[in-house]
Amino acid sequence: MPLAAPRPVAVVIDRDDDALHTHTALAAHHPPSGRITLHPGPGTTSETGLAHDLLAALGKPPLLPGRFPAGRQPAWEAATAWITALPVSRLTVLRAHRLTARRASCSYRPSPVST
């Protein structure tokens, strides 16, 4: 199966946290139409917390039951799977400039599979 072309990315920086921009982005949130607005939880510093916020924005359960192998980030695995499976065409991250470098640079990294 050929890989899909990367989707275009647009970055809008609203350093003044203009209320009009925030309300417009929140009003545009409509998962069935592929528009997701992610509002990171205030005061959270973990990258797992950002994955939970993304799952909630996708309308999926943010807390996953069960036990997982050490070093795995099941919340990011779930978020990656859902954002790939759903027809997401726009992902807006509110207040992204306020994310710590650790949270902003996090991404799903699959663990090596042992045979």
Side-chain angles (χ1 to χ4, degrees):
M1 173 185 227
L3 293 175
R7 297 175 192 160
V9 173
V11 177
V12 178
I13 297 175
D14 177 24
R15 293 200 186 279
D16 296 325
D17 290 329
D18 187 322
L20 179 61
H21 288 130
T22 300
H23 292 291
T24 301
L26 290 171
H29 178 78
H30 191 252
S33 298
R35 295 186 313 267
I36 306 298
T37 300
L38 171 59
H39 197 281
T44 316
T45 58
S46 76
E47 55 274 330
T48 303
L50 189 61
H52 291 168
D53 293 337
L54 179 54
L55 286 167
L58 292 167
K60 305 303 173 196
L63 300 176
L64 304 170
R67 301 172 133 217
F68 301 92
R72 303 287 297 257
Q73 292 191 8
W76 275 115
E77 290 185 28
T80 300
W82 280 115
I83 206 147
T84 301
L86 296 173
V88 176
S89 57
R90 178 188 294 168
L91 173 61
T92 303
V93 181
L94 296 174
R95 307 190 86 215
H97 66 285
R98 306 286 272 157
L99 295 174
T100 62
R102 181 176 160 204
R103 286 183 78 196
S105 66
C106 67
S107 63
Y108 163 66
R109 291 178 202 89
S111 297
V113 177
S114 59
T115 54

